[in-house]
Coordinates of all heavy atoms in Angstrom, one line a residue:
M1 N 84.6 91.7 97.2 CA 84.5 92.3 95.9 C 84.2 93.8 96.0 O 84.7 94.6 95.2 CB 83.5 91.6 95.0 CG 83.5 92.1 93.6 SD 82.4 91.1 92.7 CE 82.4 91.9 91.1
G2 N 83.5 94.2 97.0 CA 83.1 95.6 97.1 C 84.3 96.5 97.3 O 84.3 97.7 97.0
G3 N 85.4 96.0 97.9 CA 86.6 96.8 98.1 C 87.4 97.1 96.8 O 88.4 97.8 96.9
L4 N 87.1 96.5 95.7 CA 87.8 96.7 94.5 C 87.3 97.7 93.5 O 87.9 98.1 92.6 CB 87.9 95.3 93.8 CG 88.6 94.2 94.5 CD1 88.6 92.9 93.7 CD2 90.0 94.5 94.9
R5 N 86.0 98.1 93.7 CA 85.4 99.0 92.8 C 85.5 100.4 93.2 O 85.5 100.7 94.4 CB 83.9 98.6 92.7 CG 83.7 97.3 92.1 CD 82.3 96.9 91.8 NE 81.3 97.9 92.2 CZ 80.1 97.6 92.4 NH1 79.6 96.4 92.4 NH2 79.2 98.5 92.7
M6 N 85.6 101.3 92.2 CA 85.6 102.8 92.4 C 84.3 103.2 92.9 O 83.2 102.9 92.3 CB 85.9 103.5 91.1 CG 87.3 103.9 90.8 SD 88.0 105.0 92.0 CE 87.7 106.5 91.2
P7 N 84.2 104.1 93.9 CA 83.0 104.7 94.3 C 82.4 105.6 93.2 O 83.2 106.1 92.4 CB 83.3 105.6 95.5 CG 84.7 105.1 95.9 CD 85.3 104.5 94.8
K8 N 81.1 105.7 93.1 CA 80.5 106.4 91.9 C 80.6 107.9 92.1 O 80.7 108.6 91.1 CB 79.1 106.0 91.7 CG 79.0 104.5 91.3 CD 77.6 104.1 91.0 CE 77.6 102.7 90.5 NZ 76.4 102.0 90.6
R9 N 80.5 108.4 93.3 CA 80.4 109.9 93.5 C 81.8 110.5 93.7 O 81.8 111.8 93.8 CB 79.6 110.2 94.8 CG 78.2 109.9 94.6 CD 77.4 110.4 95.9 NE 78.0 111.4 96.6 CZ 78.2 111.4 97.9 NH1 77.8 110.4 98.6 NH2 78.8 112.4 98.5
V10 N 82.8 109.8 93.7 CA 84.2 110.4 94.0 C 85.0 110.2 92.7 O 85.0 109.2 92.1 CB 84.8 109.8 95.2 CG1 85.1 108.3 95.1 CG2 86.1 110.6 95.6
S11 N 85.8 111.2 92.4 CA 86.7 111.1 91.2 C 88.0 110.5 91.6 O 88.4 110.5 92.8 CB 86.9 112.5 90.6 OG 87.7 113.3 91.5
T12 N 88.7 110.0 90.7 CA 90.1 109.5 90.9 C 91.0 110.6 91.5 O 91.7 110.3 92.5 CB 90.7 109.0 89.6 OG1 89.8 108.0 89.1 CG2 92.1 108.4 89.8
K13 N 90.8 111.8 91.0 CA 91.6 112.9 91.5 C 91.3 113.2 93.0 O 92.2 113.4 93.8 CB 91.3 114.2 90.7 CG 92.1 115.4 91.2 CD 91.9 116.6 90.3 CE 92.7 117.8 90.7 NZ 92.6 118.9 89.9
Q14 N 90.0 113.1 93.4 CA 89.6 113.3 94.8 C 90.2 112.2 95.7 O 90.7 112.5 96.8 CB 88.1 113.3 95.0 CG 87.5 114.6 94.5 CD 86.0 114.5 94.5 OE1 85.4 113.5 94.0 NE2 85.3 115.5 95.1
L15 N 90.2 111.0 95.2 CA 90.8 109.9 96.0 C 92.3 110.1 96.1 O 92.9 109.9 97.2 CB 90.6 108.6 95.3 CG 89.2 107.9 95.6 CD1 89.1 106.6 94.7 CD2 89.1 107.6 97.0
L16 N 93.0 110.6 95.1 CA 94.4 110.8 95.1 C 94.7 111.9 96.1 O 95.7 111.8 96.9 CB 95.0 111.2 93.7 CG 96.5 111.4 93.6 CD1 97.3 110.2 94.2 CD2 96.8 111.7 92.2
I17 N 93.9 113.0 96.1 CA 94.1 114.1 97.0 C 93.9 113.6 98.5 O 94.7 113.9 99.4 CB 93.1 115.2 96.7 CG1 93.5 115.9 95.4 CG2 93.1 116.2 97.9 CD1 92.5 116.9 94.9
A18 N 92.9 112.8 98.7 CA 92.6 112.2 100.0 C 93.7 111.3 100.5 O 94.2 111.4 101.6 CB 91.3 111.4 100.0
C19 N 94.3 110.5 99.6 CA 95.4 109.6 99.9 C 96.6 110.5 100.3 O 97.3 110.2 101.2 CB 95.6 108.7 98.8 SG 96.8 107.3 99.2
Q20 N 96.9 111.5 99.5 CA 98.0 112.4 99.7 C 97.9 113.0 101.1 O 98.8 113.1 101.9 CB 98.1 113.4 98.6 CG 99.2 114.4 98.8 CD 100.6 113.9 98.5 OE1 100.8 113.2 97.6 NE2 101.6 114.2 99.3
M21 N 96.7 113.5 101.4 CA 96.4 114.2 102.7 C 96.7 113.2 103.8 O 97.3 113.5 104.9 CB 95.0 114.7 102.8 CG 94.8 115.9 101.9 SD 93.0 116.5 101.9 CE 92.9 117.1 103.6
S22 N 96.2 111.9 103.7 CA 96.4 110.9 104.7 C 97.9 110.6 104.8 O 98.4 110.5 106.0 CB 95.7 109.6 104.2 OG 96.0 108.5 105.1
F23 N 98.6 110.6 103.7 CA 100.1 110.3 103.8 C 100.8 111.4 104.5 O 101.8 111.2 105.2 CB 100.6 110.2 102.3 CG 102.0 109.8 102.2 CD1 102.3 108.4 102.4 CD2 103.0 110.6 101.9 CE1 103.6 108.0 102.3 CE2 104.3 110.2 101.7 CZ 104.6 108.8 101.9
E24 N 100.2 112.6 104.4 CA 100.8 113.8 105.1 C 100.3 113.9 106.6 O 100.7 114.8 107.3 CB 100.4 115.1 104.4 CG 101.0 115.2 103.1 CD 100.5 116.3 102.2 OE1 99.5 117.0 102.6 OE2 101.0 116.6 101.1
G25 N 99.5 112.9 107.0 CA 99.2 112.8 108.4 C 97.8 113.4 108.8 O 97.5 113.5 110.0
K26 N 97.0 113.8 107.8 CA 95.7 114.3 108.1 C 94.7 113.2 108.5 O 94.8 112.1 108.0 CB 95.1 115.0 106.8 CG 96.0 116.1 106.3 CD 96.1 117.3 107.2 CE 96.9 118.4 106.5 NZ 97.4 119.3 107.5
S27 N 93.8 113.5 109.4 CA 92.8 112.6 109.9 C 91.7 112.4 108.9 O 91.5 113.2 108.0 CB 92.3 113.0 111.2 OG 91.4 114.2 111.0
N28 N 90.9 111.3 109.0 CA 89.7 111.1 108.2 C 88.8 112.3 108.3 O 88.2 112.7 107.3 CB 89.0 109.9 108.6 CG 89.6 108.6 108.2 OD1 90.7 108.6 107.5 ND2 89.1 107.5 108.6
R29 N 88.7 112.9 109.5 CA 87.8 114.1 109.7 C 88.3 115.2 108.9 O 87.5 115.9 108.2 CB 87.8 114.4 111.2 CG 86.9 115.7 111.5 CD 86.9 116.0 112.9 NE 86.0 114.9 113.5 CZ 85.8 114.8 114.8 NH1 86.4 115.6 115.7 NH2 85.0 113.8 115.3
E30 N 89.6 115.5 108.9 CA 90.2 116.6 108.1 C 90.0 116.4 106.6 O 89.6 117.3 105.9 CB 91.6 116.8 108.4 CG 91.9 117.3 109.8 CD 93.4 117.3 110.2 OE1 94.0 116.1 110.2 OE2 94.0 118.3 110.5
I31 N 90.2 115.2 106.2 CA 90.1 114.8 104.8 C 88.6 115.0 104.3 O 88.3 115.6 103.3 CB 90.6 113.4 104.5 CG1 92.1 113.3 104.7 CG2 90.3 113.0 103.0 CD1 92.6 111.9 104.8
A32 N 87.7 114.4 105.1 CA 86.3 114.5 104.8 C 85.8 115.9 104.8 O 85.0 116.3 103.9 CB 85.5 113.7 105.9
S33 N 86.2 116.7 105.7 CA 85.8 118.2 105.8 C 86.3 118.9 104.5 O 85.6 119.7 103.9 CB 86.4 118.8 107.0 OG 86.1 120.2 107.0
K34 N 87.5 118.7 104.1 CA 88.1 119.4 103.0 C 87.5 119.0 101.7 O 87.2 119.8 100.8 CB 89.6 119.0 102.9 CG 90.4 119.5 101.7 CD 90.8 120.9 101.9 CE 91.7 121.3 100.7 NZ 92.0 122.7 100.7
L35 N 87.1 117.7 101.5 CA 86.6 117.2 100.3 C 85.0 117.1 100.2 O 84.5 116.8 99.2 CB 87.2 115.8 99.9 CG 88.7 115.8 99.7 CD1 89.2 114.4 99.4 CD2 89.1 116.8 98.6
G36 N 84.4 117.4 101.4 CA 82.9 117.4 101.4 C 82.3 116.0 101.5 O 81.2 115.8 100.9
F37 N 82.9 115.1 102.1 CA 82.4 113.7 102.3 C 82.3 113.4 103.8 O 82.9 114.2 104.6 CB 83.3 112.7 101.6 CG 83.2 112.7 100.1 CD1 84.1 113.5 99.4 CD2 82.3 112.0 99.4 CE1 84.1 113.6 98.0 CE2 82.2 112.1 98.0 CZ 83.1 112.9 97.3
S38 N 81.7 112.3 104.2 CA 81.7 111.9 105.6 C 82.9 111.2 106.0 O 83.6 110.7 105.2 CB 80.4 111.1 105.9 OG 80.6 109.8 105.3
E39 N 83.2 111.2 107.3 CA 84.3 110.4 107.8 C 84.2 109.0 107.5 O 85.2 108.3 107.1 CB 84.5 110.6 109.3 CG 85.0 111.9 109.8 CD 85.1 111.9 111.3 OE1 86.0 111.2 111.8 OE2 84.4 112.7 111.9
A40 N 83.0 108.4 107.5 CA 82.8 107.0 107.2 C 83.2 106.7 105.8 O 83.7 105.7 105.5 CB 81.3 106.6 107.5
T41 N 82.8 107.7 104.9 CA 83.2 107.5 103.5 C 84.7 107.4 103.3 O 85.2 106.6 102.6 CB 82.5 108.6 102.6 OG1 81.1 108.5 102.7 CG2 82.9 108.5 101.2
V42 N 85.4 108.4 103.9 CA 86.8 108.4 103.8 C 87.4 107.1 104.4 O 88.3 106.5 103.8 CB 87.4 109.6 104.5 CG1 89.0 109.6 104.5 CG2 87.0 110.9 103.9
S43 N 86.8 106.6 105.5 CA 87.3 105.4 106.1 C 87.1 104.2 105.1 O 88.0 103.4 104.9 CB 86.5 105.1 107.3 OG 86.9 103.9 107.9
N44 N 86.0 104.2 104.3 CA 85.8 103.2 103.3 C 86.7 103.3 102.2 O 87.1 102.3 101.6 CB 84.3 103.3 102.8 CG 83.3 102.7 103.9 OD1 83.7 101.9 104.7 ND2 82.1 103.2 103.8
W45 N 87.1 104.5 101.8 CA 88.0 104.7 100.7 C 89.4 104.0 101.0 O 90.0 103.5 100.1 CB 88.3 106.2 100.5 CG 87.2 107.0 99.9 CD1 86.0 106.5 99.4 CD2 87.1 108.4 99.8 NE1 85.2 107.5 99.0 CE2 85.9 108.7 99.2 CE3 88.0 109.4 100.2 CZ2 85.5 110.0 99.0 CZ3 87.6 110.7 100.0 CH2 86.4 111.0 99.4
R46 N 89.8 104.0 102.3 CA 91.0 103.4 102.7 C 91.1 101.9 102.4 O 92.2 101.3 102.3 CB 91.3 103.7 104.1 CG 91.5 105.1 104.5 CD 91.7 105.3 106.0 NE 92.0 106.6 106.4 CZ 93.2 107.2 106.4 NH1 94.2 106.5 106.2 NH2 93.3 108.4 106.8
K47 N 89.9 101.3 102.2 CA 89.9 99.9 101.9 C 89.9 99.5 100.4 O 90.0 98.4 100.1 CB 88.6 99.3 102.5 CG 88.5 99.5 104.0 CD 87.1 99.2 104.5 CE 87.0 99.6 106.0 NZ 85.6 99.6 106.5
L48 N 89.8 100.6 99.6 CA 89.8 100.3 98.2 C 91.2 100.0 97.6 O 92.2 100.4 98.1 CB 89.3 101.6 97.4 CG 87.9 102.1 97.7 CD1 87.7 103.5 97.1 CD2 86.9 101.1 97.2
E49 N 91.2 99.1 96.6 CA 92.4 98.7 95.9 C 93.1 100.0 95.4 O 94.4 100.1 95.5 CB 92.1 97.7 94.8 CG 93.4 97.0 94.3 CD 94.1 96.2 95.3 OE1 93.5 95.6 96.2 OE2 95.4 96.2 95.3
I50 N 92.4 100.9 94.8 CA 93.0 102.1 94.2 C 93.7 102.9 95.2 O 94.8 103.5 95.0 CB 92.0 102.9 93.3 CG1 92.8 103.9 92.5 CG2 91.0 103.5 94.2 CD1 91.9 104.6 91.4
W51 N 93.1 103.0 96.4 CA 93.8 103.7 97.5 C 95.1 103.1 97.9 O 96.1 103.7 98.0 CB 92.9 103.7 98.8 CG 93.4 104.5 100.0 CD1 94.4 104.0 100.8 CD2 93.1 105.8 100.4 NE1 94.7 105.0 101.7 CE2 93.8 106.1 101.5 CE3 92.1 106.7 100.0 CZ2 93.7 107.3 102.2 CZ3 92.0 107.9 100.7 CH2 92.8 108.2 101.8
K52 N 95.1 101.7 97.9 CA 96.4 101.0 98.3 C 97.4 101.2 97.2 O 98.6 101.3 97.5 CB 96.1 99.5 98.5 CG 95.2 99.3 99.7 CD 94.7 97.9 99.8 CE 93.7 97.7 100.9 NZ 93.0 96.5 100.9
E53 N 97.0 101.3 95.9 CA 97.9 101.6 94.8 C 98.5 103.0 94.9 O 99.7 103.2 94.8 CB 97.2 101.4 93.5 CG 96.8 100.0 93.2 CD 96.0 99.8 92.0 OE1 95.8 100.8 91.2 OE2 95.4 98.7 91.8
F54 N 97.6 104.0 95.2 CA 98.1 105.4 95.4 C 99.1 105.4 96.5 O 100.1 106.1 96.4 CB 96.9 106.3 95.6 CG 96.1 106.6 94.4 CD1 94.8 107.1 94.6 CD2 96.6 106.6 93.2 CE1 94.0 107.4 93.5 CE2 95.8 106.9 92.1 CZ 94.5 107.3 92.2
E55 N 98.7 104.8 97.6 CA 99.6 104.8 98.8 C 101.0 104.2 98.5 O 102.0 104.8 98.9 CB 98.9 104.0 99.9 CG 99.3 104.4 101.3 CD 98.3 103.8 102.3 OE1 98.0 102.6 102.3 OE2 97.9 104.6 103.2
A56 N 101.0 103.1 97.8 CA 102.2 102.5 97.4 C 103.1 103.4 96.5 O 104.3 103.5 96.7 CB 102.0 101.1 96.7
E57 N 102.4 104.1 95.6 CA 103.1 105.1 94.8 C 103.7 106.2 95.6 O 104.8 106.6 95.3 CB 102.2 105.6 93.7 CG 101.9 104.6 92.6 CD 100.8 105.0 91.6 OE1 100.6 106.3 91.5 OE2 100.2 104.2 90.9
L58 N 102.9 106.7 96.5 CA 103.4 107.8 97.4 C 104.6 107.3 98.2 O 105.6 108.1 98.4 CB 102.3 108.3 98.3 CG 101.2 109.1 97.6 CD1 100.0 109.2 98.6 CD2 101.7 110.4 97.2
I59 N 104.6 106.1 98.7 CA 105.7 105.6 99.5 C 106.9 105.4 98.6 O 108.0 105.8 99.0 CB 105.3 104.2 100.2 CG1 104.2 104.5 101.3 CG2 106.5 103.5 100.7 CD1 103.5 103.2 101.8
D60 N 106.7 104.9 97.4 CA 107.9 104.7 96.5 C 108.5 106.1 96.2 O 109.7 106.2 96.2 CB 107.4 104.1 95.2 CG 107.2 102.6 95.4 OD1 107.6 102.0 96.4 OD2 106.6 102.0 94.5
A61 N 107.6 107.1 95.9 CA 108.2 108.4 95.6 C 108.9 109.0 96.8 O 110.0 109.6 96.6 CB 107.0 109.4 95.2
Y62 N 108.4 108.8 98.0 CA 109.0 109.3 99.2 C 110.4 108.6 99.4 O 111.4 109.3 99.7 CB 108.1 109.0 100.4 CG 108.7 109.5 101.7 CD1 108.7 110.8 102.1 CD2 109.4 108.6 102.6 CE1 109.2 111.3 103.3 CE2 109.9 109.0 103.8 CZ 109.8 110.4 104.1 OH 110.4 110.8 105.3
K63 N 110.4 107.3 99.2 CA 111.7 106.6 99.3 C 112.7 107.1 98.3 O 113.9 107.3 98.6 CB 111.5 105.1 99.1 CG 110.8 104.4 100.3 CD 110.7 102.9 99.9 CE 109.9 102.2 101.0 NZ 109.7 100.8 100.7
Q64 N 112.3 107.3 97.0 CA 113.2 107.7 96.0 C 113.8 109.1 96.3 O 114.9 109.4 96.1 CB 112.5 107.8 94.6 CG 112.2 106.5 94.0 CD 113.4 105.6 93.8 OE1 114.4 106.1 93.4 NE2 113.3 104.3 94.1
Q65 N 112.9 110.0 96.8 CA 113.3 111.3 97.2 C 114.3 111.2 98.4 O 115.4 111.9 98.4 CB 112.1 112.2 97.6 CG 112.5 113.6 98.0 CD 111.3 114.4 98.4 OE1 110.3 113.9 98.7 NE2 111.5 115.7 98.4
A66 N 114.0 110.4 99.4 CA 114.9 110.3 100.5 C 116.3 109.7 100.1 O 117.3 110.1 100.5 CB 114.3 109.3 101.6
L67 N 116.3 108.7 99.2 CA 117.5 108.1 98.7 C 118.3 109.1 97.9 O 119.5 109.2 98.0 CB 117.2 106.9 97.8 CG 116.7 105.7 98.6 CD1 116.3 104.6 97.6 CD2 117.8 105.2 99.5
S68 N 117.7 109.9 97.1 CA 118.4 110.9 96.3 C 119.0 112.0 97.1 O 120.1 112.5 96.9 CB 117.5 111.6 95.2 OG 116.5 112.4 95.8
L69 N 118.4 112.3 98.2 CA 118.9 113.3 99.2 C 120.2 112.7 99.9 O 121.1 113.5 100.1 CB 117.9 113.7 100.2 CG 116.7 114.6 99.7 CD1 115.7 114.8 100.8 CD2 117.2 115.9 99.1
E70 N 120.1 111.4 100.2 CA 121.3 110.8 100.8 C 122.5 110.7 99.9 O 123.6 110.8 100.4 CB 120.9 109.4 101.3 CG 120.0 109.3 102.5 CD 119.6 107.9 102.9 OE1 120.2 106.9 102.4 OE2 118.8 107.7 103.8
T71 N 122.3 110.6 98.6 CA 123.4 110.4 97.7 C 124.0 111.7 97.2 O 125.0 111.7 96.6 CB 123.0 109.5 96.5 OG1 121.9 110.1 95.8 CG2 122.6 108.1 97.0
E72 N 123.3 112.8 97.5 CA 123.8 114.1 97.0 C 125.0 114.4 97.9 O 125.0 114.3 99.1 CB 122.8 115.2 97.2 CG 121.7 115.1 96.2 CD 120.6 116.2 96.3 OE1 120.8 117.1 97.2 OE2 119.6 116.1 95.7
T73 N 126.0 115.0 97.2 CA 127.2 115.4 98.0 C 127.1 116.9 98.3 O 126.7 117.7 97.4 CB 128.5 115.1 97.2 OG1 128.4 115.7 95.9 CG2 128.7 113.6 97.0
P74 N 127.5 117.3 99.5 CA 127.5 118.7 99.8 C 128.5 119.5 99.0 O 129.6 119.0 98.7 CB 127.8 118.8 101.3 CG 128.0 117.4 101.7 CD 127.9 116.5 100.5
S75 N 128.1 120.7 98.6 CA 129.0 121.6 97.8 C 130.0 122.3 98.7 O 129.6 122.8 99.7 CB 128.2 122.5 96.9 OG 127.4 121.8 96.1

């Protein structure tokens, strides 16, 4: 049950930024440093349901972008 609740000290926006940074290949250390949290905290965020939802949305957006690039015809 602990993995389903939002942490109290972090905003949804911060979690989204952290997830985006992770998606771009940033490490927990880089994310933690940028947002002012510990690496352990960032590691725990990755277990949250909301993180998984953000990650799925980022993957979907990436796929849509990749598909639209494939279907464009060169001028």
Side-chain angles (χ1 to χ4, degrees):
M1 186 172 176
L4 300 177
R5 294 184 2 201
M6 260 302 264
K8 292 182 181 164
R9 286 185 29 229
V10 65
S11 70
T12 303
K13 183 177 180 178
Q14 287 173 310
L15 277 175
L16 181 56
I17 290 167
C19 190
Q20 176 75 40
M21 289 176 71
S22 172
F23 190 74
E24 293 169 354
K26 304 293 184 201
S27 68
N28 285 358
R29 177 176 291 174
E30 291 171 300
I31 296 166
S33 175
K34 173 86 173 171
L35 298 178
F37 291 90
S38 72
E39 284 182 69
T41 297
V42 174
S43 179
N44 287 334
W45 291 348
R46 292 176 180 272
K47 300 170 189 166
L48 296 172
E49 191 62 36
I50 193 168
W51 181 284
K52 294 171 187 169
E53 290 171 13
F54 285 157
E55 206 167 44
E57 289 174 17
L58 288 168
I59 291 167
D60 285 345
Y62 180 81
K63 285 180 184 177
Q64 290 301 319
Q65 184 181 17
L67 288 173
S68 70
L69 291 175
E70 285 180 10
T71 58
E72 289 180 6
T73 56
S75 301

